[in-house]
Coordinates of all heavy atoms in Angstrom, one line a residue:
M1 N 3.8 -22.0 5.7 CA 4.4 -20.8 5.2 C 3.4 -19.6 5.2 O 2.5 -19.6 4.5 CB 4.9 -21.1 3.7 CG 5.6 -19.9 3.1 SD 7.3 -19.7 3.7 CE 7.7 -18.1 2.9
P2 N 3.7 -18.7 6.0 CA 2.7 -17.5 6.1 C 2.7 -16.7 4.8 O 3.7 -16.5 4.2 CB 3.2 -16.7 7.3 CG 4.4 -17.4 7.9 CD 4.8 -18.5 6.9
E3 N 1.5 -16.3 4.5 CA 1.4 -15.5 3.3 C 2.0 -14.1 3.5 O 1.9 -13.5 4.6 CB -0.1 -15.3 2.9 CG -0.7 -16.5 2.2 CD 0.0 -16.8 0.9 OE1 0.5 -15.8 0.2 OE2 0.1 -18.0 0.5
H4 N 2.7 -13.6 2.5 CA 3.3 -12.3 2.5 C 2.3 -11.3 1.9 O 1.7 -11.6 0.9 CB 4.6 -12.4 1.7 CG 5.5 -11.3 1.9 ND1 5.3 -10.0 1.5 CD2 6.7 -11.3 2.5 CE1 6.3 -9.3 1.9 NE2 7.2 -10.0 2.5
C5 N 2.3 -10.1 2.5 CA 1.4 -9.1 2.0 C 1.9 -8.8 0.5 O 3.1 -8.7 0.3 CB 1.5 -7.9 2.8 SG 0.6 -6.5 2.2
A6 N 0.9 -8.6 -0.4 CA 1.2 -8.5 -1.8 C 1.6 -7.0 -2.2 O 2.0 -6.8 -3.3 CB 0.0 -8.9 -2.6
A7 N 1.5 -6.1 -1.2 CA 1.8 -4.7 -1.5 C 3.2 -4.4 -1.8 O 4.1 -5.1 -1.2 CB 1.2 -3.8 -0.4
Y8 N 3.5 -3.5 -2.6 CA 4.8 -3.0 -2.9 C 5.5 -2.6 -1.6 O 5.0 -1.8 -0.8 CB 4.8 -1.9 -3.9 CG 6.2 -1.5 -4.4 CD1 6.6 -2.0 -5.6 CD2 7.0 -0.6 -3.8 CE1 7.9 -1.7 -6.1 CE2 8.2 -0.3 -4.2 CZ 8.7 -0.8 -5.4 OH 9.9 -0.5 -5.9
A9 N 6.8 -3.1 -1.4 CA 7.6 -2.7 -0.3 C 7.0 -2.9 1.1 O 7.4 -2.3 2.1 CB 7.9 -1.2 -0.4
C10 N 6.0 -3.8 1.2 CA 5.5 -4.1 2.5 C 6.0 -5.5 2.9 O 6.0 -6.4 2.1 CB 3.9 -4.2 2.4 SG 3.2 -4.6 4.0
S11 N 6.5 -5.6 4.1 CA 7.1 -6.8 4.5 C 6.3 -7.6 5.5 O 6.7 -8.5 6.2 CB 8.5 -6.6 5.1 OG 8.4 -5.6 6.1
N12 N 5.0 -7.2 5.7 CA 4.2 -7.8 6.7 C 3.8 -9.2 6.2 O 3.5 -9.4 5.0 CB 2.9 -7.0 6.9 CG 3.2 -5.8 7.7 OD1 4.1 -5.7 8.5 ND2 2.3 -4.8 7.5
R13 N 3.9 -10.2 7.1 CA 3.4 -11.5 6.8 C 2.4 -11.9 7.8 O 2.3 -11.4 8.9 CB 4.6 -12.5 6.9 CG 5.6 -12.2 5.8 CD 6.4 -13.4 5.5 NE 7.2 -13.9 6.7 CZ 7.9 -15.0 6.7 NH1 7.9 -15.8 5.7 NH2 8.5 -15.3 7.8
Q14 N 1.6 -12.9 7.4 CA 0.5 -13.4 8.2 C 1.0 -14.2 9.3 O 0.9 -15.5 9.3 CB -0.5 -14.2 7.3 CG -1.9 -14.2 7.8 CD -2.8 -14.7 6.7 OE1 -2.4 -15.2 5.6 NE2 -4.1 -14.5 6.9
T15 N 1.5 -13.6 10.4 CA 2.0 -14.3 11.5 C 1.3 -13.9 12.8 O 0.6 -12.9 12.8 CB 3.5 -14.0 11.7 OG1 3.6 -12.6 11.8 CG2 4.3 -14.4 10.5
I16 N 1.6 -14.6 13.8 CA 1.0 -14.3 15.1 C 1.5 -12.9 15.6 O 0.8 -12.1 16.1 CB 1.3 -15.4 16.1 CG1 0.6 -16.7 15.7 CG2 0.9 -15.0 17.5 CD1 1.1 -17.9 16.4
E17 N 2.8 -12.7 15.3 CA 3.3 -11.4 15.7 C 2.6 -10.2 15.0 O 2.3 -9.2 15.6 CB 4.8 -11.3 15.3 CG 5.7 -12.2 16.1 CD 5.7 -13.6 15.7 OE1 5.2 -13.9 14.6 OE2 6.1 -14.5 16.5
A18 N 2.3 -10.4 13.7 CA 1.5 -9.3 13.0 C 0.1 -9.2 13.6 O -0.3 -8.1 13.8 CB 1.4 -9.7 11.5
R19 N -0.5 -10.3 13.9 CA -1.8 -10.2 14.5 C -1.8 -9.5 15.8 O -2.7 -8.7 16.2 CB -2.4 -11.7 14.7 CG -3.9 -11.7 14.9 CD -4.3 -13.1 15.2 NE -3.7 -13.6 16.4 CZ -3.8 -14.9 16.7 NH1 -4.4 -15.8 16.0 NH2 -3.2 -15.3 17.9
D20 N -0.7 -9.8 16.6 CA -0.6 -9.1 17.9 C -0.4 -7.6 17.8 O -0.7 -6.8 18.7 CB 0.6 -9.7 18.7 CG 0.3 -11.1 19.2 OD1 -0.9 -11.5 19.2 OD2 1.2 -11.8 19.7
R21 N 0.1 -7.2 16.6 CA 0.3 -5.7 16.4 C -1.0 -5.1 15.8 O -1.0 -4.0 15.4 CB 1.4 -5.5 15.4 CG 2.8 -5.7 16.1 CD 3.9 -5.9 15.1 NE 3.9 -4.8 14.1 CZ 4.4 -5.0 12.8 NH1 4.9 -6.1 12.5 NH2 4.4 -4.0 12.0
G22 N -2.0 -5.9 15.7 CA -3.3 -5.4 15.2 C -3.4 -5.4 13.7 O -4.4 -4.8 13.1
I23 N -2.5 -6.1 13.0 CA -2.6 -6.1 11.5 C -3.4 -7.3 11.1 O -3.2 -8.4 11.6 CB -1.2 -6.2 10.9 CG1 -0.3 -5.0 11.3 CG2 -1.2 -6.4 9.4 CD1 1.1 -5.2 11.0
T24 N -4.4 -7.0 10.3 CA -5.2 -8.1 9.7 C -4.9 -8.3 8.3 O -4.4 -7.4 7.6 CB -6.7 -7.8 9.9 OG1 -7.0 -6.5 9.4 CG2 -7.1 -7.8 11.4
F25 N -5.1 -9.5 7.8 CA -4.8 -9.8 6.4 C -6.1 -10.2 5.6 O -7.0 -10.8 6.2 CB -3.8 -11.0 6.3 CG -2.5 -10.5 6.7 CD1 -2.1 -10.4 8.0 CD2 -1.5 -10.2 5.7 CE1 -0.9 -10.0 8.4 CE2 -0.3 -9.8 6.1 CZ 0.1 -9.7 7.4
H26 N -6.2 -9.7 4.4 CA -7.4 -9.8 3.7 C -7.2 -10.4 2.3 O -6.3 -9.9 1.6 CB -8.1 -8.5 3.6 CG -8.3 -7.9 4.9 ND1 -9.4 -8.1 5.7 CD2 -7.5 -7.1 5.7 CE1 -9.3 -7.5 6.9 NE2 -8.2 -6.9 6.9
K27 N -7.9 -11.4 2.0 CA -7.7 -12.1 0.7 C -8.3 -11.1 -0.4 O -9.2 -10.3 -0.2 CB -8.5 -13.4 0.6 CG -7.8 -14.4 1.5 CD -8.4 -15.8 1.1 CE -7.4 -16.8 1.8 NZ -7.7 -18.2 1.6
F28 N -7.7 -11.3 -1.6 CA -8.2 -10.5 -2.7 C -9.6 -10.9 -3.1 O -10.0 -12.1 -3.0 CB -7.3 -10.7 -4.0 CG -6.1 -9.9 -3.9 CD1 -5.1 -10.1 -2.9 CD2 -5.8 -9.0 -4.9 CE1 -4.0 -9.3 -2.8 CE2 -4.6 -8.2 -4.9 CZ -3.7 -8.4 -3.8
P29 N -10.4 -9.9 -3.4 CA -11.8 -10.2 -3.7 C -11.9 -10.8 -5.1 O -10.9 -11.1 -5.7 CB -12.5 -8.8 -3.7 CG -11.4 -7.9 -3.9 CD -10.1 -8.5 -3.4
K30 N -13.1 -11.1 -5.6 CA -13.3 -11.7 -6.9 C -13.4 -10.7 -8.0 O -13.8 -9.6 -7.8 CB -14.6 -12.6 -6.8 CG -14.6 -13.6 -5.8 CD -13.6 -14.7 -6.1 CE -13.5 -15.8 -5.0 NZ -12.3 -16.6 -5.1
K31 N -13.1 -11.2 -9.2 CA -13.4 -10.5 -10.4 C -13.1 -9.0 -10.5 O -12.0 -8.6 -10.3 CB -14.9 -10.8 -10.8 CG -15.1 -12.2 -11.1 CD -16.6 -12.5 -11.4 CE -16.8 -14.0 -11.5 NZ -18.3 -14.3 -11.5
D32 N -14.1 -8.2 -10.7 CA -14.0 -6.8 -10.9 C -13.2 -6.1 -9.8 O -12.3 -5.3 -10.1 CB -15.3 -6.1 -11.0 CG -16.2 -6.6 -12.1 OD1 -15.8 -7.6 -12.7 OD2 -17.3 -6.1 -12.2
V33 N -13.5 -6.4 -8.6 CA -12.8 -5.7 -7.5 C -11.4 -6.2 -7.4 O -10.5 -5.4 -7.1 CB -13.6 -5.9 -6.2 CG1 -13.0 -5.1 -5.1 CG2 -15.0 -5.6 -6.3
R34 N -11.1 -7.4 -7.7 CA -9.8 -7.9 -7.7 C -8.9 -7.1 -8.7 O -7.8 -6.8 -8.4 CB -9.7 -9.4 -8.0 CG -8.3 -9.9 -8.1 CD -8.2 -11.4 -8.4 NE -8.7 -12.2 -7.3 CZ -8.6 -13.5 -7.2 NH1 -8.0 -14.2 -8.2 NH2 -9.1 -14.2 -6.2
K35 N -9.5 -6.9 -9.9 CA -8.8 -6.1 -10.9 C -8.4 -4.7 -10.4 O -7.3 -4.2 -10.6 CB -9.6 -6.0 -12.1 CG -9.5 -7.1 -13.1 CD -8.4 -6.9 -14.1 CE -7.9 -8.2 -14.7 NZ -7.0 -9.1 -13.9
K36 N -9.3 -4.1 -9.6 CA -9.1 -2.8 -9.1 C -8.0 -2.8 -8.1 O -7.2 -1.9 -8.0 CB -10.4 -2.2 -8.5 CG -11.4 -1.8 -9.6 CD -12.6 -1.3 -8.9 CE -13.7 -1.1 -9.9 NZ -15.0 -0.8 -9.3
W37 N -7.9 -3.9 -7.3 CA -6.9 -4.0 -6.3 C -5.5 -4.2 -7.0 O -4.5 -3.6 -6.6 CB -7.1 -5.3 -5.4 CG -8.1 -5.1 -4.3 CD1 -9.3 -4.4 -4.4 CD2 -8.1 -5.7 -3.0 NE1 -10.0 -4.5 -3.2 CE2 -9.3 -5.3 -2.4 CE3 -7.2 -6.6 -2.4 CZ2 -9.6 -5.7 -1.1 CZ3 -7.5 -7.0 -1.1 CH2 -8.7 -6.6 -0.4
E38 N -5.5 -5.0 -8.1 CA -4.3 -5.2 -8.8 C -3.8 -3.9 -9.4 O -2.6 -3.6 -9.3 CB -4.5 -6.2 -9.9 CG -4.7 -7.7 -9.4 CD -5.1 -8.6 -10.5 OE1 -5.3 -8.2 -11.6 OE2 -5.2 -9.8 -10.1
V39 N -4.7 -3.1 -9.9 CA -4.3 -1.8 -10.4 C -3.8 -0.9 -9.3 O -2.7 -0.2 -9.4 CB -5.5 -1.1 -11.2 CG1 -5.1 0.3 -11.5 CG2 -5.8 -1.9 -12.4
A40 N -4.4 -0.9 -8.2 CA -4.1 -0.1 -7.0 C -2.7 -0.4 -6.5 O -1.9 0.4 -6.0 CB -5.1 -0.2 -5.9
L41 N -2.3 -1.7 -6.6 CA -1.0 -2.1 -6.2 C 0.2 -1.6 -7.0 O 1.3 -1.4 -6.5 CB -0.9 -3.7 -6.1 CG -1.7 -4.4 -5.1 CD1 -1.4 -5.9 -5.1 CD2 -1.5 -3.9 -3.7
R42 N -0.1 -1.4 -8.3 CA 0.9 -0.8 -9.2 C 2.1 -1.7 -9.3 O 3.2 -1.2 -9.4 CB 1.3 0.6 -8.9 CG 0.1 1.6 -8.9 CD 0.6 3.0 -8.8 NE -0.4 3.8 -8.3 CZ -0.2 5.1 -7.9 NH1 1.0 5.6 -8.0 NH2 -1.2 5.8 -7.5
R43 N 1.9 -3.0 -9.2 CA 3.0 -3.9 -9.4 C 3.0 -4.5 -10.8 O 2.1 -5.2 -11.1 CB 3.0 -5.0 -8.3 CG 3.5 -4.5 -7.0 CD 3.5 -5.6 -5.9 NE 4.2 -6.8 -6.4 CZ 4.2 -7.9 -5.7 NH1 3.5 -8.1 -4.6 NH2 4.9 -9.0 -6.1
E44 N 4.0 -4.1 -11.6 CA 4.0 -4.6 -12.9 C 3.9 -6.1 -13.1 O 4.7 -6.8 -12.4 CB 5.3 -4.0 -13.6 CG 5.1 -3.8 -15.1 CD 6.3 -3.1 -15.7 OE1 6.8 -2.2 -15.0 OE2 6.7 -3.5 -16.8
G45 N 3.0 -6.6 -13.8 CA 2.9 -8.0 -14.1 C 2.3 -8.8 -12.9 O 2.3 -10.0 -13.0
F46 N 1.8 -8.1 -11.9 CA 1.3 -8.9 -10.8 C -0.1 -9.3 -11.1 O -1.0 -8.5 -11.5 CB 1.3 -8.0 -9.5 CG 0.6 -8.6 -8.4 CD1 1.2 -9.6 -7.6 CD2 -0.6 -8.2 -8.0 CE1 0.6 -10.2 -6.5 CE2 -1.3 -8.7 -6.9 CZ -0.7 -9.8 -6.2
T47 N -0.4 -10.6 -10.8 CA -1.7 -11.1 -10.9 C -2.0 -11.8 -9.5 O -1.3 -12.7 -9.1 CB -1.9 -12.1 -12.0 OG1 -1.4 -11.5 -13.2 CG2 -3.3 -12.5 -12.2
A48 N -3.1 -11.4 -8.9 CA -3.5 -12.0 -7.6 C -4.0 -13.4 -7.8 O -4.6 -13.8 -8.9 CB -4.6 -11.1 -7.0
T49 N -3.7 -14.2 -6.9 CA -4.2 -15.6 -6.8 C -5.2 -15.7 -5.7 O -5.3 -14.8 -4.9 CB -3.1 -16.6 -6.7 OG1 -2.6 -16.5 -5.3 CG2 -2.0 -16.4 -7.7
D50 N -5.8 -16.9 -5.6 CA -6.8 -17.0 -4.5 C -6.1 -17.0 -3.1 O -6.7 -16.9 -2.1 CB -7.5 -18.3 -4.7 CG -8.6 -18.2 -5.7 OD1 -9.0 -17.0 -6.0 OD2 -9.0 -19.2 -6.3
S51 N -4.8 -17.2 -3.1 CA -4.1 -17.1 -1.8 C -3.4 -15.8 -1.6 O -2.7 -15.6 -0.5 CB -3.0 -18.3 -1.7 OG -2.1 -18.2 -2.7
S52 N -3.5 -14.8 -2.5 CA -2.9 -13.5 -2.3 C -3.6 -12.8 -1.2 O -4.8 -12.8 -1.1 CB -3.0 -12.7 -3.6 OG -2.2 -13.3 -4.6
V53 N -2.8 -12.1 -0.4 CA -3.4 -11.3 0.7 C -2.8 -9.9 0.7 O -1.7 -9.6 0.3 CB -3.2 -11.9 2.1 CG1 -4.1 -13.2 2.2 CG2 -1.8 -12.2 2.4
L54 N -3.6 -9.0 1.2 CA -3.1 -7.6 1.5 C -3.3 -7.4 3.0 O -4.3 -7.9 3.6 CB -3.9 -6.5 0.8 CG -3.4 -6.1 -0.6 CD1 -4.2 -4.9 -1.0 CD2 -1.9 -5.8 -0.6
C55 N -2.4 -6.7 3.7 CA -2.5 -6.4 5.1 C -3.3 -5.1 5.3 O -3.5 -4.3 4.4 CB -1.2 -6.4 5.8 SG -0.2 -4.9 5.6
S56 N -3.8 -5.0 6.5 CA -4.7 -3.9 6.8 C -4.0 -2.5 6.7 O -4.7 -1.5 6.8 CB -5.3 -4.1 8.2 OG -4.2 -4.3 9.2
E57 N -2.7 -2.4 6.6 CA -2.1 -1.1 6.5 C -2.3 -0.4 5.2 O -2.0 0.8 5.1 CB -0.5 -1.3 6.7 CG -0.2 -1.8 8.1 CD 1.3 -1.7 8.4 OE1 2.1 -1.7 7.5 OE2 1.6 -1.8 9.6
H58 N -2.9 -1.1 4.3 CA -3.2 -0.4 3.0 C -4.6 0.1 2.8 O -5.0 0.4 1.7 CB -2.8 -1.4 1.9 CG -1.5 -2.0 2.1 ND1 -0.3 -1.2 2.1 CD2 -1.1 -3.2 2.5 CE1 0.7 -2.0 2.4 NE2 0.3 -3.2 2.6
F59 N -5.3 0.1 3.9 CA -6.7 0.5 3.9 C -6.9 1.6 4.9 O -6.2 1.7 5.9 CB -7.6 -0.7 4.2 CG -7.6 -1.8 3.1 CD1 -6.6 -2.8 3.3 CD2 -8.3 -1.7 2.0 CE1 -6.5 -3.8 2.4 CE2 -8.2 -2.7 1.1 CZ -7.3 -3.8 1.2
K60 N -7.9 2.4 4.6 CA -8.2 3.5 5.5 C -9.1 2.9 6.7 O -9.8 1.9 6.5 CB -9.0 4.6 4.8 CG -8.1 5.3 3.8 CD -8.9 6.4 3.1 CE -10.0 5.8 2.2 NZ -10.2 6.2 0.9
P61 N -9.1 3.6 7.8 CA -9.8 3.1 9.0 C -11.3 2.8 8.6 O -11.9 1.9 9.1 CB -9.7 4.2 10.0 CG -8.4 4.8 9.7 CD -8.3 4.8 8.2
E62 N -11.9 3.7 7.8 CA -13.3 3.6 7.5 C -13.6 2.5 6.5 O -14.7 2.2 6.1 CB -13.8 4.9 7.0 CG -13.2 5.4 5.7 CD -12.1 6.4 6.0 OE1 -11.4 6.2 7.0 OE2 -11.9 7.3 5.2
D63 N -12.5 1.8 5.9 CA -12.7 0.7 5.0 C -13.1 -0.6 5.7 O -13.5 -1.5 5.1 CB -11.5 0.5 4.2 CG -11.2 1.6 3.2 OD1 -12.1 2.3 2.9 OD2 -10.0 1.7 2.7
F64 N -13.0 -0.6 7.0 CA -13.2 -1.8 7.8 C -14.5 -1.9 8.4 O -15.1 -0.9 8.9 CB -12.1 -2.0 8.9 CG -10.7 -2.1 8.3 CD1 -9.9 -1.0 8.3 CD2 -10.2 -3.3 7.8 CE1 -8.6 -1.1 7.7 CE2 -9.0 -3.4 7.3 CZ -8.2 -2.3 7.2
D65 N -15.0 -3.1 8.5 CA -16.2 -3.4 9.2 C -15.8 -4.1 10.5 O -15.4 -5.3 10.5 CB -17.1 -4.3 8.4 CG -18.4 -4.7 9.2 OD1 -18.5 -4.4 10.4 OD2 -19.2 -5.5 8.6
R66 N -15.8 -3.4 11.6 CA -15.3 -4.0 12.9 C -16.5 -4.4 13.8 O -16.3 -4.5 15.0 CB -14.4 -3.0 13.6 CG -13.2 -2.7 12.8 CD -12.3 -1.6 13.5 NE -11.2 -1.3 12.8 CZ -10.0 -1.9 12.7 NH1 -9.9 -3.0 13.4 NH2 -9.0 -1.5 11.9
T67 N -17.6 -4.5 13.2 CA -18.8 -4.8 14.1 C -18.9 -6.3 14.4 O -19.5 -6.7 15.4 CB -20.1 -4.4 13.3 OG1 -20.1 -5.1 12.1 CG2 -20.2 -2.9 13.1
G68 N -18.2 -7.2 13.7 CA -18.3 -8.6 14.0 C -17.1 -9.0 14.8 O -16.3 -8.2 15.2
Q69 N -17.0 -10.3 15.0 CA -15.9 -10.9 15.8 C -14.6 -10.8 15.0 O -13.5 -10.7 15.6 CB -16.1 -12.3 16.1 CG -17.2 -12.4 17.2 CD -17.0 -13.7 18.0 OE1 -16.6 -14.7 17.6 NE2 -17.4 -13.6 19.3
I70 N -14.6 -10.9 13.7 CA -13.5 -10.8 12.9 C -13.5 -9.5 12.1 O -14.6 -9.0 11.7 CB -13.2 -11.9 11.9 CG1 -14.5 -12.4 11.3 CG2 -12.4 -13.0 12.5 CD1 -14.4 -13.4 10.2
V71 N -12.4 -8.8 11.9 CA -12.3 -7.6 11.2 C -12.5 -7.9 9.7 O -11.7 -8.7 9.1 CB -11.0 -6.8 11.4 CG1 -10.9 -5.6 10.6 CG2 -10.9 -6.5 12.9
R72 N -13.5 -7.3 9.1 CA -13.7 -7.5 7.6 C -13.6 -6.2 6.9 O -13.7 -5.1 7.4 CB -15.1 -8.1 7.4 CG -15.4 -9.3 8.1 CD -16.7 -9.8 7.7 NE -17.0 -9.5 6.3 CZ -18.0 -9.9 5.6 NH1 -18.9 -10.7 6.1 NH2 -18.1 -9.6 4.3
L73 N -13.3 -6.3 5.6 CA -13.4 -5.2 4.7 C -14.8 -5.0 4.2 O -15.5 -6.0 4.0 CB -12.4 -5.3 3.5 CG -10.9 -5.3 3.8 CD1 -10.2 -5.7 2.6 CD2 -10.6 -3.8 4.2
K74 N -15.2 -3.8 4.1 CA -16.5 -3.5 3.5 C -16.5 -3.9 2.1 O -15.4 -3.9 1.4 CB -16.9 -2.0 3.7 CG -17.1 -1.7 5.2 CD -17.4 -0.2 5.3 CE -17.4 0.2 6.7 NZ -17.4 1.7 6.9
D75 N -17.6 -4.2 1.5 CA -17.7 -4.6 0.1 C -17.2 -3.5 -0.8 O -17.6 -2.4 -0.7 CB -19.2 -5.0 -0.2 CG -19.6 -6.3 0.4 OD1 -18.7 -7.1 0.8 OD2 -20.8 -6.5 0.5
G76 N -16.4 -4.0 -1.7 CA -16.0 -3.1 -2.8 C -14.9 -2.0 -2.5 O -14.6 -1.2 -3.3
V77 N -14.3 -2.1 -1.3 CA -13.3 -1.1 -1.0 C -12.0 -1.4 -1.7 O -11.7 -2.6 -2.0 CB -13.0 -1.0 0.6 CG1 -14.2 -0.6 1.3 CG2 -12.4 -2.3 1.1
I78 N -11.3 -0.4 -2.0 CA -10.0 -0.5 -2.8 C -8.9 0.0 -1.9 O -9.0 1.0 -1.2 CB -10.1 0.4 -4.0 CG1 -11.4 0.2 -4.8 CG2 -8.9 0.2 -4.9 CD1 -11.6 -1.1 -5.4
P79 N -7.8 -0.8 -1.8 CA -6.7 -0.4 -1.0 C -6.1 0.9 -1.5 O -6.0 1.2 -2.7 CB -5.7 -1.5 -1.2 CG -6.1 -2.2 -2.4 CD -7.5 -2.1 -2.5
S80 N -5.8 1.8 -0.6 CA -5.4 3.2 -1.1 C -4.2 3.7 -0.3 O -3.8 4.9 -0.5 CB -6.6 4.1 -0.9 OG -7.0 4.1 0.4
V81 N -3.6 3.0 0.6 CA -2.5 3.5 1.4 C -1.3 2.7 1.1 O -1.1 1.5 1.5 CB -2.9 3.3 2.9 CG1 -1.7 3.9 3.8 CG2 -4.2 4.0 3.2
F82 N -0.3 3.3 0.4 CA 0.9 2.6 0.0 C 2.1 3.5 0.1 O 2.0 4.7 0.0 CB 0.8 2.1 -1.5 CG -0.3 1.1 -1.7 CD1 -1.4 1.4 -2.4 CD2 -0.1 -0.2 -1.3 CE1 -2.4 0.5 -2.6 CE2 -1.1 -1.2 -1.5 CZ -2.3 -0.8 -2.2
N83 N 3.2 2.9 0.2 CA 4.5 3.6 0.2 C 5.2 3.4 -1.1 O 6.1 2.5 -1.2 CB 5.4 3.0 1.3 CG 5.3 3.7 2.6 OD1 5.2 4.9 2.6 ND2 5.4 3.0 3.7
F84 N 4.8 4.1 -2.1 CA 5.4 3.9 -3.4 C 6.7 4.7 -3.5 O 6.8 5.8 -3.0 CB 4.4 4.4 -4.5 CG 3.2 3.5 -4.7 CD1 2.0 4.0 -4.6 CD2 3.4 2.2 -5.1 CE1 0.9 3.2 -4.7 CE2 2.3 1.4 -5.3 CZ 1.0 1.9 -5.1
P85 N 7.6 4.1 -4.2 CA 8.8 4.9 -4.5 C 8.4 6.1 -5.5 O 7.4 6.0 -6.1 CB 9.8 3.9 -5.2 CG 8.9 2.9 -5.7 CD 7.7 2.8 -4.8
L86 N 9.3 7.1 -5.5 CA 8.9 8.3 -6.3 C 8.5 8.0 -7.7 O 7.6 8.6 -8.3 CB 10.1 9.3 -6.3 CG 10.2 10.1 -4.9 CD1 11.4 11.0 -5.0 CD2 8.9 10.8 -4.7
H87 N 9.2 7.1 -8.4 CA 9.0 6.9 -9.8 C 7.6 6.3 -10.0 O 7.0 6.4 -11.1 CB 10.1 6.0 -10.5 CG 10.0 4.6 -10.1 ND1 10.6 4.1 -9.0 CD2 9.5 3.5 -10.8 CE1 10.4 2.8 -9.0 NE2 9.7 2.4 -10.0
L88 N 7.0 5.6 -9.0 CA 5.7 5.1 -9.2 C 4.6 6.1 -8.7 O 3.5 6.1 -9.2 CB 5.5 3.8 -8.3 CG 6.2 2.6 -8.9 CD1 6.0 1.4 -8.0 CD2 5.6 2.2 -10.3
Q89 N 5.0 7.0 -7.9 CA 4.0 8.0 -7.4 C 3.6 8.9 -8.5 O 2.5 9.5 -8.5 CB 4.6 8.8 -6.2 CG 4.7 8.0 -5.0 CD 5.3 8.8 -3.8 OE1 5.6 10.0 -4.0 NE2 5.5 8.2 -2.7
R90 N 4.5 9.1 -9.5 CA 4.1 10.0 -10.6 C 3.1 9.4 -11.6 O 2.6 10.1 -12.4 CB 5.4 10.4 -11.4 CG 6.1 11.5 -10.6 CD 7.0 12.3 -11.6 NE 8.1 11.4 -12.2 CZ 9.3 11.3 -11.7 NH1 9.6 11.9 -10.6 NH2 10.1 10.5 -12.2
V91 N 2.9 8.1 -11.5 CA 2.0 7.5 -12.4 C 0.6 8.0 -12.1 O 0.2 8.2 -11.0 CB 2.0 5.9 -12.3 CG1 0.9 5.3 -13.1 CG2 3.4 5.4 -12.6
G92 N -0.2 8.3 -13.2 CA -1.4 9.0 -13.0 C -2.4 8.3 -12.0 O -2.7 7.1 -12.1
V93 N -2.8 9.1 -11.1 CA -3.7 8.5 -10.0 C -5.1 8.3 -10.5 O -5.8 7.4 -10.2 CB -3.7 9.5 -8.8 CG1 -4.7 9.0 -7.8 CG2 -2.3 9.5 -8.2
S94 N -5.5 9.2 -11.5 CA -6.9 9.2 -11.9 C -7.2 8.3 -13.1 O -8.3 8.3 -13.6 CB -7.3 10.6 -12.2 OG -6.5 11.2 -13.2
S95 N -6.2 7.6 -13.6 CA -6.4 6.8 -14.8 C -7.2 5.6 -14.6 O -7.2 5.1 -13.5 CB -5.0 6.4 -15.4 OG -4.3 5.6 -14.5
Ligands
ZN1 ZN1 1.0 -4.8 3.6

C-alpha cells in the first residue's frame, strides 16, 4: 500500500507514476522539526507517524539537496507550499 502524502488536499501517493513525474517523498523528521511540520500542515488533530510522508510539492526548490544520488531535504527545512482552502489561509501565519 503506497503511502499517501500527508498534506491537506494533496492526492499524491508514493507510486512509480509519481516518481516518474519527478515527485519525491520524504518521511517526517524527528522531534522538534516533526512538530514544525505538523503545525505547517494545519491539519487539525494530525500527528505524524514514522511512516508519514510528504511529497516534494510542498517544499521550495532550494529546500532540496540534489547533490547525491537520491534527492534529500536539507536539515531543518519546513514545508511551506500548500493549497489551503480559504478558511485555513486566514489562520495566522506568524504564530
Ligand atoms: Zn503532497
Side-chain angles (χ1 to χ4, degrees):
M1 182 73 188
E3 282 298 328
H4 197 289
C5 174
Y8 189 94
C10 181
S11 57
N12 287 334
R13 292 203 301 172
Q14 202 164 14
T15 58
I16 293 165
E17 289 78 17
R19 196 183 64 192
D20 286 348
R21 283 163 54 206
I23 298 169
T24 52
F25 286 81
H26 303 274
K27 290 196 166 180
F28 279 61
K30 302 290 179 197
K31 296 177 183 168
D32 300 4
V33 187
R34 177 179 292 190
K35 276 271 162 278
K36 289 179 188 170
W37 283 35
E38 288 171 357
V39 170
L41 291 186
R42 298 190 204 170
R43 282 180 55 188
E44 207 172 321
F46 173 76
T47 307
T49 67
D50 285 339
S51 60
S52 298
V53 291
L54 268 190
C55 75
S56 53
E57 295 192 340
H58 312 294
F59 298 89
K60 294 179 293 227
E62 61 266 33
D63 290 342
F64 297 98
D65 174 0
R66 297 179 184 277
T67 54
Q69 289 209 326
I70 38 173
V71 177
R72 300 184 38 171
L73 287 169
K74 293 177 185 168
D75 285 343
V77 301
I78 311 295
S80 55
V81 183
F82 295 107
N83 266 322
F84 290 120
L86 282 178
H87 75 277
L88 284 178
Q89 286 178 7
R90 280 202 299 266
V91 176
V93 173
S94 59
S95 61

